[in-house]
Coordinates of all heavy atoms in Angstrom, one line a residue:
M483 N 83.7 176.1 -11.4 CA 83.4 176.4 -10.0 C 84.2 177.6 -9.6 O 85.4 177.6 -9.8 CB 83.7 175.1 -9.2 CG 83.5 175.4 -7.7 SD 83.6 173.9 -6.7 CE 85.2 173.3 -7.0
T484 N 83.6 178.5 -8.9 CA 84.3 179.7 -8.3 C 84.1 179.7 -6.8 O 82.9 179.7 -6.3 CB 83.6 181.0 -8.9 OG1 83.7 180.9 -10.3 CG2 84.4 182.2 -8.4
V485 N 85.2 179.8 -6.1 CA 85.1 179.8 -4.6 C 84.9 181.3 -4.3 O 85.8 182.1 -4.6 CB 86.3 179.2 -4.0 CG1 86.3 179.4 -2.5 CG2 86.5 177.8 -4.4
I486 N 83.8 181.6 -3.6 CA 83.5 183.0 -3.2 C 84.2 183.2 -1.8 O 84.8 184.2 -1.6 CB 82.0 183.2 -3.1 CG1 81.3 182.9 -4.4 CG2 81.7 184.6 -2.6 CD1 81.7 183.8 -5.5
E487 N 84.0 182.3 -0.9 CA 84.6 182.3 0.4 C 84.5 180.9 0.9 O 83.7 180.1 0.4 CB 83.9 183.3 1.3 CG 82.4 183.1 1.6 CD 81.9 184.1 2.5 OE1 81.6 185.2 2.0 OE2 81.7 183.8 3.7
P488 N 85.2 180.5 2.0 CA 85.0 179.2 2.5 C 83.6 178.9 2.9 O 82.9 179.6 3.5 CB 85.9 179.2 3.8 CG 86.9 180.3 3.6 CD 86.1 181.3 2.8
G489 N 83.1 177.8 2.3 CA 81.7 177.4 2.6 C 80.7 177.8 1.5 O 79.5 177.6 1.6
L490 N 81.2 178.6 0.5 CA 80.3 179.1 -0.5 C 81.0 179.0 -1.9 O 82.1 179.7 -2.0 CB 79.8 180.5 -0.2 CG 78.9 181.1 -1.2 CD1 77.5 180.3 -1.2 CD2 78.6 182.5 -0.9
V491 N 80.5 178.3 -2.8 CA 81.0 178.3 -4.2 C 79.9 178.5 -5.1 O 78.7 178.3 -4.8 CB 81.8 177.0 -4.5 CG1 82.9 176.7 -3.6 CG2 80.8 175.8 -4.5
V492 N 80.2 178.9 -6.3 CA 79.3 179.1 -7.4 C 79.6 178.1 -8.5 O 80.8 178.1 -9.0 CB 79.2 180.5 -8.0 CG1 78.3 180.6 -9.1 CG2 78.8 181.5 -6.9
R493 N 78.7 177.3 -8.9 CA 78.9 176.3 -10.0 C 77.7 176.4 -10.9 O 76.5 176.3 -10.4 CB 79.0 174.9 -9.4 CG 79.3 173.9 -10.4 CD 79.2 172.5 -9.8 NE 79.8 172.5 -8.5 CZ 80.7 171.6 -8.0 NH1 81.1 170.6 -8.8 NH2 81.1 171.7 -6.8
D494 N 77.9 176.6 -12.2 CA 76.9 176.7 -13.2 C 75.8 177.7 -12.8 O 74.6 177.5 -13.0 CB 76.2 175.3 -13.4 CG 77.2 174.3 -13.9 OD1 78.1 174.7 -14.7 OD2 77.1 173.1 -13.6
G495 N 76.2 178.8 -12.2 CA 75.2 179.9 -11.9 C 74.4 179.7 -10.6 O 73.5 180.5 -10.3
F496 N 74.8 178.7 -9.8 CA 74.0 178.4 -8.5 C 75.0 178.4 -7.4 O 76.1 177.8 -7.5 CB 73.2 177.1 -8.6 CG 72.1 177.2 -9.6 CD1 72.3 176.8 -10.9 CD2 70.9 177.7 -9.2 CE1 71.2 176.8 -11.8 CE2 69.8 177.8 -10.1 CZ 70.0 177.3 -11.4
A497 N 74.6 178.9 -6.2 CA 75.4 178.8 -5.0 C 75.3 177.4 -4.4 O 74.3 176.8 -4.4 CB 75.0 179.9 -4.0
E498 N 76.4 176.9 -3.9 CA 76.5 175.6 -3.3 C 77.3 175.7 -2.0 O 78.0 176.6 -1.8 CB 77.1 174.6 -4.2 CG 76.3 174.4 -5.5 CD 77.0 173.4 -6.4 OE1 78.1 173.0 -6.2 OE2 76.3 173.0 -7.4
R499 N 77.2 174.6 -1.3 CA 78.0 174.4 0.0 C 77.2 174.9 1.2 O 76.1 175.4 1.1 CB 79.4 174.9 -0.1 CG 80.2 174.4 -1.2 CD 81.0 173.1 -0.8 NE 81.6 172.5 -1.9 CZ 82.8 172.6 -2.4 NH1 83.6 173.5 -1.8 NH2 83.3 171.9 -3.4
P500 N 77.8 174.8 2.4 CA 77.0 175.1 3.6 C 76.3 176.4 3.7 O 75.2 176.5 4.2 CB 78.0 174.9 4.7 CG 79.0 173.9 4.2 CD 79.1 174.3 2.7
L501 N 77.0 177.5 3.3 CA 76.4 178.8 3.4 C 75.1 178.9 2.5 O 74.1 179.5 2.9 CB 77.4 179.9 3.0 CG 78.5 180.1 4.0 CD1 79.5 181.2 3.5 CD2 78.0 180.4 5.4
A502 N 75.2 178.3 1.3 CA 74.0 178.3 0.5 C 72.9 177.5 1.0 O 71.7 177.8 1.0 CB 74.4 177.9 -0.9
D503 N 73.3 176.3 1.6 CA 72.3 175.4 2.2 C 71.6 176.1 3.4 O 70.4 175.9 3.6 CB 72.9 174.1 2.7 CG 73.5 173.3 1.5 OD1 73.1 173.6 0.4 OD2 74.4 172.5 1.8
A504 N 72.3 176.9 4.1 CA 71.7 177.6 5.3 C 70.7 178.7 4.8 O 69.8 179.0 5.5 CB 72.8 178.3 6.1
A505 N 70.9 179.3 3.6 CA 70.1 180.4 3.1 C 68.7 179.8 2.6 O 67.7 180.6 2.6 CB 70.8 181.2 2.1
L506 N 68.7 178.6 2.1 CA 67.5 178.1 1.5 C 66.3 178.0 2.5 O 65.2 178.5 2.2 CB 67.7 176.7 0.9 CG 68.3 176.7 -0.5 CD1 68.7 175.3 -0.9 CD2 67.4 177.4 -1.5
P507 N 66.5 177.6 3.7 CA 65.3 177.6 4.7 C 64.8 179.0 5.0 O 63.6 179.2 5.2 CB 65.9 176.9 5.9 CG 67.0 176.1 5.5 CD 67.6 176.8 4.3
R508 N 65.7 180.0 5.0 CA 65.3 181.4 5.2 C 64.4 181.9 4.1 O 63.5 182.6 4.3 CB 66.5 182.3 5.4 CG 67.3 182.1 6.6 CD 68.2 183.2 7.0 NE 69.0 183.8 5.9 CZ 70.2 183.5 5.6 NH1 70.9 182.6 6.4 NH2 70.8 184.1 4.7
T509 N 64.7 181.4 2.9 CA 63.9 181.8 1.7 C 62.5 181.2 1.9 O 61.5 181.9 1.7 CB 64.5 181.3 0.4 OG1 65.8 181.8 0.3 CG2 63.7 181.7 -0.8
G510 N 62.4 180.0 2.3 CA 61.1 179.4 2.5 C 60.3 180.0 3.6 O 59.1 180.3 3.5
R511 N 61.0 180.4 4.7 CA 60.3 181.0 5.8 C 59.9 182.4 5.4 O 58.8 182.9 5.9 CB 61.3 181.1 7.0 CG 60.7 181.8 8.2 CD 59.5 181.0 8.8 NE 59.0 181.7 10.0 CZ 57.8 181.9 10.3 NH1 56.8 181.4 9.5 NH2 57.4 182.6 11.3
T512 N 60.6 183.1 4.6 CA 60.2 184.4 4.2 C 59.0 184.4 3.3 O 58.1 185.2 3.5 CB 61.4 185.1 3.3 OG1 62.5 185.2 4.2 CG2 61.0 186.5 2.8
A513 N 58.9 183.4 2.5 CA 57.7 183.2 1.7 C 56.5 182.9 2.6 O 55.4 183.5 2.4 CB 57.8 182.0 0.7
Q514 N 56.7 182.1 3.6 CA 55.6 181.8 4.6 C 55.2 183.1 5.3 O 54.0 183.4 5.5 CB 56.1 180.8 5.6 CG 55.0 180.3 6.6 CD 55.5 179.3 7.5 OE1 56.8 179.2 7.7 NE2 54.6 178.5 8.1
L515 N 56.2 183.9 5.7 CA 55.9 185.2 6.4 C 55.0 186.1 5.5 O 54.1 186.8 6.0 CB 57.1 185.9 6.9 CG 57.9 185.2 8.0 CD1 59.2 185.8 8.3 CD2 57.0 185.3 9.3
F516 N 55.4 186.2 4.3 CA 54.7 187.1 3.3 C 53.2 186.5 3.1 O 52.3 187.3 3.1 CB 55.4 187.2 2.0 CG 56.3 188.4 1.9 CD1 57.7 188.2 1.8 CD2 55.8 189.7 1.9 CE1 58.5 189.3 1.7 CE2 56.7 190.7 1.8 CZ 58.0 190.5 1.7
D517 N 53.1 185.2 3.0 CA 51.7 184.6 2.9 C 50.9 185.0 4.1 O 49.7 185.4 4.0 CB 51.8 183.1 2.7 CG 52.3 182.7 1.3 OD1 52.3 183.6 0.4 OD2 52.7 181.5 1.2
E518 N 51.4 184.8 5.3 CA 50.7 185.1 6.5 C 50.3 186.6 6.6 O 49.2 186.9 7.0 CB 51.5 184.7 7.8 CG 51.7 183.2 7.9 CD 52.7 182.8 9.0 OE1 53.3 183.7 9.6 OE2 52.9 181.6 9.1
L519 N 51.3 187.4 6.3 CA 51.1 188.8 6.3 C 50.0 189.3 5.3 O 49.1 190.1 5.7 CB 52.4 189.5 5.9 CG 52.5 191.0 6.1 CD1 52.3 191.4 7.6 CD2 53.8 191.5 5.7
Q520 N 50.0 188.7 4.1 CA 49.0 189.1 3.1 C 47.6 188.6 3.5 O 46.6 189.2 3.1 CB 49.4 188.6 1.8 CG 50.6 189.3 1.3 CD 51.2 188.8 0.0 OE1 51.0 189.4 -1.0 NE2 51.9 187.7 0.1
E521 N 47.5 187.5 4.3 CA 46.2 187.1 4.7 C 45.6 188.0 5.8 O 44.4 188.2 5.9 CB 46.3 185.7 5.3 CG 46.5 184.6 4.3 CD 46.8 183.2 4.8 OE1 46.6 183.0 6.1 OE2 47.2 182.3 4.1
Q522 N 46.5 188.6 6.6 CA 46.1 189.5 7.7 C 45.9 191.0 7.2 O 45.5 191.8 8.0 CB 47.1 189.4 8.8 CG 47.3 188.1 9.4 CD 48.5 188.0 10.3 OE1 49.2 189.0 10.6 NE2 48.7 186.8 10.9
T523 N 46.3 191.3 6.0 CA 46.4 192.7 5.6 C 45.1 193.5 5.9 O 45.2 194.6 6.4 CB 46.7 192.8 4.1 OG1 48.0 192.2 3.9 CG2 46.7 194.2 3.6
P524 N 43.9 193.0 5.6 CA 42.7 193.8 5.9 C 42.6 194.2 7.4 O 41.9 195.3 7.6 CB 41.5 192.9 5.5 CG 42.1 191.9 4.5 CD 43.5 191.7 5.0
T525 N 43.1 193.5 8.3 CA 43.0 193.8 9.7 C 44.2 194.6 10.3 O 44.1 194.9 11.4 CB 42.8 192.5 10.5 OG1 43.9 191.7 10.4 CG2 41.6 191.8 10.0
L526 N 45.2 194.8 9.5 CA 46.4 195.5 10.0 C 46.4 197.0 9.7 O 46.0 197.4 8.6 CB 47.7 194.9 9.3 CG 48.0 193.4 9.6 CD1 49.2 192.9 8.8 CD2 48.2 193.2 11.1
A527 N 46.9 197.7 10.6 CA 47.1 199.2 10.4 C 48.4 199.3 9.5 O 49.1 198.3 9.4 CB 47.4 199.9 11.7
D528 N 48.5 200.4 8.9 CA 49.6 200.6 8.0 C 51.0 200.4 8.6 O 51.9 199.8 8.1 CB 49.6 202.0 7.4 CG 48.5 202.2 6.4 OD1 48.0 201.2 5.9 OD2 48.1 203.4 6.1
A529 N 51.1 200.9 9.9 CA 52.4 200.7 10.6 C 52.7 199.2 10.9 O 53.8 198.7 10.7 CB 52.4 201.5 11.9
R530 N 51.7 198.4 11.2 CA 51.9 197.0 11.5 C 52.2 196.3 10.2 O 53.0 195.3 10.2 CB 50.6 196.4 12.1 CG 50.3 196.9 13.5 CD 51.1 196.2 14.5 NE 50.9 194.8 14.4 CZ 51.0 194.0 15.5 NH1 51.1 194.5 16.6 NH2 50.8 192.7 15.3
L531 N 51.6 196.6 9.1 CA 51.9 196.0 7.8 C 53.3 196.3 7.4 O 54.0 195.4 7.0 CB 50.9 196.5 6.7 CG 51.1 196.0 5.3 CD1 51.0 194.4 5.3 CD2 50.1 196.6 4.4
R532 N 53.7 197.5 7.5 CA 55.1 197.9 7.2 C 56.1 197.2 8.1 O 57.1 196.7 7.6 CB 55.3 199.4 7.3 CG 56.6 199.9 6.8 CD 56.9 201.4 6.9 NE 58.0 201.8 6.2 CZ 59.3 201.5 6.6 NH1 59.5 200.9 7.7 NH2 60.3 202.0 5.9
D533 N 55.8 197.0 9.4 CA 56.7 196.3 10.3 C 56.8 194.8 9.9 O 57.8 194.2 9.9 CB 56.2 196.4 11.7 CG 57.1 195.7 12.7 OD1 58.3 196.1 12.8 OD2 56.6 194.8 13.4
G534 N 55.6 194.3 9.5 CA 55.6 192.9 9.0 C 56.5 192.6 7.8 O 57.2 191.7 7.7
V535 N 56.4 193.6 6.8 CA 57.2 193.5 5.6 C 58.7 193.6 6.0 O 59.5 192.9 5.5 CB 56.8 194.6 4.6 CG1 57.7 194.6 3.4 CG2 55.3 194.3 4.1
H536 N 59.0 194.6 6.8 CA 60.3 194.8 7.3 C 60.9 193.5 7.9 O 62.0 193.1 7.6 CB 60.4 195.9 8.3 CG 61.8 196.2 8.8 ND1 62.3 195.6 9.9 CD2 62.7 197.1 8.3 CE1 63.5 196.1 10.1 NE2 63.8 196.9 9.1
R537 N 60.1 192.9 8.8 CA 60.6 191.7 9.5 C 60.8 190.5 8.5 O 61.7 189.7 8.6 CB 59.6 191.3 10.6 CG 59.8 192.1 11.8 CD 58.9 191.7 13.0 NE 57.5 191.9 12.7 CZ 56.6 191.0 12.6 NH1 56.9 189.7 12.8 NH2 55.3 191.2 12.3
A538 N 59.9 190.4 7.5 CA 60.0 189.3 6.5 C 61.3 189.5 5.7 O 62.0 188.5 5.5 CB 58.8 189.3 5.6
L539 N 61.5 190.7 5.3 CA 62.7 191.0 4.5 C 64.0 190.8 5.3 O 65.0 190.3 4.8 CB 62.7 192.3 3.8 CG 61.6 192.5 2.7 CD1 61.5 194.0 2.3 CD2 61.9 191.6 1.5
R540 N 63.9 191.2 6.5 CA 65.1 191.1 7.4 C 65.4 189.7 7.7 O 66.6 189.3 7.8 CB 64.9 191.9 8.7 CG 66.1 191.8 9.6 CD 66.2 193.0 10.4 NE 67.5 192.9 11.1 CZ 68.1 193.8 11.7 NH1 67.4 195.0 11.8 NH2 69.2 193.7 12.3
H541 N 64.4 188.9 7.8 CA 64.6 187.4 8.0 C 65.3 186.8 6.9 O 66.2 185.9 7.1 CB 63.2 186.7 8.2 CG 63.3 185.3 8.5 ND1 63.6 184.8 9.8 CD2 63.3 184.2 7.7 CE1 63.7 183.5 9.7 NE2 63.5 183.1 8.5
L542 N 65.1 187.3 5.7 CA 65.7 186.7 4.5 C 67.2 187.2 4.4 O 68.1 186.3 4.2 CB 65.0 187.2 3.2 CG 65.7 186.7 1.9 CD1 65.6 185.2 1.8 CD2 65.0 187.4 0.7
T543 N 67.4 188.5 4.6 CA 68.8 189.0 4.3 C 69.7 189.0 5.5 O 70.9 189.2 5.4 CB 68.7 190.4 3.7 OG1 68.1 191.3 4.7 CG2 67.9 190.5 2.5
R544 N 69.1 189.0 6.7 CA 69.8 189.1 8.0 C 70.4 190.5 8.1 O 71.3 190.7 8.9 CB 70.9 188.1 8.1 CG 70.4 186.6 8.1 CD 69.8 186.3 9.3 NE 69.5 184.8 9.3 CZ 68.7 184.3 10.1 NH1 68.0 185.0 11.0 NH2 68.5 183.0 10.0
E545 N 70.0 191.4 7.3 CA 70.5 192.8 7.3 C 69.3 193.7 7.3 O 68.2 193.3 7.0 CB 71.4 193.1 6.1 CG 72.7 192.3 6.2 CD 73.6 192.7 5.0 OE1 73.2 193.5 4.2 OE2 74.7 192.1 4.9
Q546 N 69.6 195.0 7.5 CA 68.5 196.0 7.5 C 68.1 196.2 6.0 O 68.9 196.6 5.2 CB 69.0 197.3 8.0 CG 68.0 198.4 8.2 CD 67.2 198.2 9.4 OE1 67.3 197.2 10.1 NE2 66.2 199.0 9.6
P547 N 66.8 195.9 5.7 CA 66.4 196.1 4.3 C 66.2 197.6 4.0 O 65.9 198.4 4.9 CB 65.0 195.4 4.2 CG 64.5 195.4 5.6 CD 65.8 195.4 6.5
P548 N 66.5 198.0 2.7 CA 66.3 199.4 2.3 C 64.9 199.8 2.6 O 63.9 199.1 2.3 CB 66.6 199.4 0.8 CG 67.4 198.1 0.6 CD 66.9 197.1 1.6
A549 N 64.7 201.0 3.1 CA 63.4 201.6 3.4 C 62.5 201.7 2.2 O 61.3 201.4 2.2 CB 63.5 203.0 4.1
C550 N 63.1 202.0 1.0 CA 62.4 202.1 -0.2 C 61.8 200.8 -0.6 O 60.7 200.7 -1.1 CB 63.2 202.7 -1.3 SG 64.7 201.8 -1.7
Q551 N 62.5 199.7 -0.4 CA 62.0 198.3 -0.7 C 60.9 198.0 0.2 O 59.9 197.4 -0.2 CB 63.2 197.3 -0.6 CG 62.8 195.9 -1.0 CD 63.9 194.9 -0.8 OE1 64.8 195.1 0.0 NE2 63.8 193.8 -1.6
V552 N 61.0 198.2 1.5 CA 60.0 197.9 2.5 C 58.7 198.7 2.1 O 57.6 198.2 2.1 CB 60.4 198.3 3.9 CG1 59.3 198.1 4.9 CG2 61.6 197.4 4.3
D553 N 58.9 200.0 1.8 CA 57.7 200.9 1.5 C 57.1 200.4 0.2 O 55.8 200.4 0.1 CB 58.2 202.3 1.3 CG 58.6 202.9 2.6 OD1 58.2 202.4 3.7 OD2 59.3 204.0 2.6
S554 N 57.8 200.0 -0.8 CA 57.3 199.5 -2.1 C 56.5 198.2 -1.9 O 55.3 198.2 -2.4 CB 58.5 199.2 -3.0 OG 58.0 198.7 -4.2
Y555 N 57.0 197.2 -1.2 CA 56.3 196.0 -0.9 C 55.0 196.3 -0.1 O 54.0 195.7 -0.3 CB 57.1 195.0 -0.2 CG 58.0 194.2 -1.1 CD1 59.4 194.2 -0.9 CD2 57.5 193.4 -2.1 CE1 60.3 193.4 -1.7 CE2 58.4 192.7 -2.9 CZ 59.7 192.7 -2.7 OH 60.5 192.0 -3.5
T556 N 55.1 197.2 0.9 CA 54.0 197.5 1.7 C 52.9 198.1 0.9 O 51.7 197.8 1.0 CB 54.4 198.5 2.9 OG1 55.4 197.9 3.7 CG2 53.2 198.8 3.8
A557 N 53.2 199.1 0.0 CA 52.2 199.7 -0.8 C 51.6 198.7 -1.8 O 50.3 198.8 -2.0 CB 52.9 200.8 -1.6
L558 N 52.3 197.8 -2.3 CA 51.8 196.8 -3.2 C 50.8 195.9 -2.5 O 49.7 195.6 -3.0 CB 52.9 196.0 -3.9 CG 53.8 196.7 -4.9 CD1 55.0 195.8 -5.3 CD2 53.0 197.1 -6.1
I559 N 51.2 195.5 -1.3 CA 50.3 194.6 -0.5 C 49.0 195.3 -0.1 O 47.9 194.8 -0.2 CB 51.1 194.0 0.7 CG1 52.2 193.1 0.2 CG2 50.1 193.3 1.6 CD1 53.1 192.6 1.3
R560 N 49.2 196.6 0.3 CA 48.0 197.4 0.7 C 47.0 197.5 -0.5 O 45.8 197.6 -0.3 CB 48.5 198.7 1.3 CG 47.4 199.6 1.8 CD 46.5 198.9 2.8 NE 47.2 198.9 4.1 CZ 46.8 198.2 5.1 NH1 45.7 197.5 5.1 NH2 47.4 198.3 6.3
R561 N 47.6 197.7 -1.7 CA 46.7 197.8 -2.9 C 46.1 196.5 -3.3 O 45.3 196.5 -4.3 CB 47.5 198.4 -4.0 CG 47.8 199.9 -3.8 CD 48.4 200.4 -5.1 NE 49.4 201.4 -4.7 CZ 50.6 201.5 -5.1 NH1 51.1 200.6 -6.0 NH2 51.4 202.4 -4.7
G562 N 46.4 195.4 -2.7 CA 45.8 194.1 -3.0 C 46.6 193.3 -3.9 O 46.2 192.2 -4.3
M563 N 47.8 193.7 -4.3 CA 48.7 192.9 -5.2 C 49.3 191.8 -4.4 O 49.8 192.1 -3.3 CB 49.8 193.8 -5.8 CG 50.7 193.0 -6.8 SD 51.6 194.1 -7.8 CE 50.4 194.4 -9.1
R564 N 49.3 190.7 -4.9 CA 49.8 189.5 -4.2 C 51.3 189.4 -4.4 O 51.8 189.4 -5.6 CB 49.1 188.2 -4.7 CG 49.5 187.0 -4.0 CD 48.6 186.7 -2.9 NE 49.0 185.5 -2.2 CZ 48.9 185.3 -0.9 NH1 48.4 186.2 -0.2 NH2 49.4 184.2 -0.4
I565 N 52.1 189.2 -3.4 CA 53.6 189.0 -3.5 C 53.8 187.5 -3.3 O 53.6 186.9 -2.3 CB 54.3 189.8 -2.3 CG1 54.0 191.2 -2.3 CG2 55.8 189.5 -2.5 CD1 54.5 192.0 -3.5
D566 N 54.1 186.9 -4.4 CA 54.4 185.4 -4.4 C 55.9 185.3 -4.4 O 56.6 185.6 -5.4 CB 53.8 184.7 -5.6 CG 52.3 184.6 -5.5 OD1 51.8 184.4 -4.4 OD2 51.6 184.8 -6.6
W567 N 56.4 184.8 -3.3 CA 57.9 184.7 -3.1 C 58.3 183.3 -3.6 O 57.8 182.3 -3.0 CB 58.2 184.8 -1.6 CG 59.6 185.2 -1.4 CD1 60.7 184.4 -1.1 CD2 60.1 186.5 -1.3 NE1 61.8 185.1 -1.0 CE2 61.5 186.4 -1.1 CE3 59.6 187.8 -1.5 CZ2 62.3 187.5 -1.0 CZ3 60.4 188.9 -1.4 CH2 61.7 188.8 -1.1
H568 N 59.1 183.2 -4.6 CA 59.5 182.0 -5.2 C 60.6 181.3 -4.3 O 61.5 182.0 -3.9 CB 60.1 182.2 -6.6 CG 60.6 181.0 -7.2 ND1 59.9 180.0 -7.7 CD2 61.9 180.6 -7.5 CE1 60.6 179.0 -8.2 NE2 61.9 179.4 -8.1
V569 N 60.4 180.1 -4.0 CA 61.3 179.3 -3.2 C 62.0 178.3 -4.1 O 61.4 177.3 -4.5 CB 60.6 178.6 -2.1 CG1 61.6 177.8 -1.2 CG2 59.8 179.6 -1.2
P570 N 63.3 178.6 -4.5 CA 64.0 177.7 -5.4 C 64.5 176.4 -4.7 O 64.6 176.4 -3.5 CB 65.1 178.6 -5.9 CG 65.4 179.4 -4.8 CD 64.1 179.7 -4.1
D571 N 64.9 175.5 -5.6 CA 65.6 174.3 -5.0 C 67.0 174.6 -4.8 O 67.6 174.0 -3.9 CB 65.5 173.1 -6.0 CG 64.1 172.6 -6.3 OD1 63.3 172.8 -5.3 OD2 63.8 172.1 -7.3
R572 N 67.6 175.5 -5.6 CA 68.9 175.9 -5.4 C 69.0 177.4 -5.5 O 68.1 178.0 -6.2 CB 69.8 175.3 -6.5 CG 69.8 173.8 -6.6 CD 70.8 173.2 -7.5 NE 70.7 173.8 -8.9 CZ 71.6 173.6 -9.9 NH1 72.7 173.0 -9.6 NH2 71.4 174.1 -11.1
L573 N 70.0 178.1 -5.0 CA 70.1 179.5 -5.0 C 70.8 180.0 -6.2 O 72.0 179.7 -6.4 CB 70.8 180.0 -3.7 CG 70.1 179.9 -2.4 CD1 70.9 180.4 -1.3 CD2 68.8 180.7 -2.4
P574 N 70.1 180.8 -7.1 CA 70.8 181.3 -8.2 C 71.8 182.4 -7.8 O 71.5 183.1 -6.9 CB 69.7 181.8 -9.1 CG 68.6 182.1 -8.2 CD 68.7 181.1 -7.1
C575 N 72.9 182.6 -8.5 CA 73.9 183.6 -8.3 C 74.1 184.4 -9.6 O 74.1 183.9 -10.7 CB 75.2 183.0 -7.9 SG 75.4 182.8 -6.2
A576 N 74.1 185.7 -9.4 CA 74.4 186.6 -10.6 C 75.9 186.7 -10.8 O 76.7 186.6 -10.0 CB 73.8 188.0 -10.3

């Protein structure tokens, strides 16, 4: 077990404790936001689609997502590629 900071430890490659527990619901909500966004894609203008991707990623990280990542996801969704966001039972740590 490695203590990263108070409230967050890594054990056997997975994050544990309150901070990790708080991040799991955000992962599930991000998956839901991407699903909703992809259903609406045909009716969205490019700017609205990009904004939706930005909001979904920001919901997950709580930080400003890199513009290149937002643009990449937006382009993939616009081309019809499905983004399936995996929601784990536990958060893996590198």
Side-chain angles (χ1 to χ4, degrees):
M483 175 170 60
T484 303
V485 176
I486 304 297
E487 61 181 79
L490 182 65
V491 299
V492 175
R493 183 187 322 226
D494 298 327
F496 292 94
E498 296 180 350
R499 303 268 169 95
L501 291 177
D503 295 341
L506 278 174
R508 289 198 319 261
T509 303
R511 179 66 180 137
T512 299
Q514 184 180 22
L515 289 171
F516 269 113
D517 286 343
E518 292 169 1
L519 189 62
Q520 291 174 103
E521 290 173 9
Q522 300 170 1
T523 297
T525 63
L526 296 176
D528 288 341
R530 292 283 300 217
L531 178 59
R532 187 181 190 287
D533 181 60
V535 170
H536 180 271
R537 283 185 293 117
L539 291 173
R540 181 149 187 171
H541 183 80
L542 177 67
T543 63
R544 303 282 190 200
E545 294 180 2
Q546 189 74 4
C550 60
Q551 183 181 26
V552 173
D553 292 340
S554 177
Y555 278 122
T556 301
L558 290 171
I559 292 170
R560 182 56 77 193
R561 286 188 215 129
M563 181 164 276
R564 183 93 180 146
I565 305 294
D566 288 324
W567 203 267
H568 175 70
V569 181
D571 295 334
R572 300 186 307 165
L573 291 178
C575 271

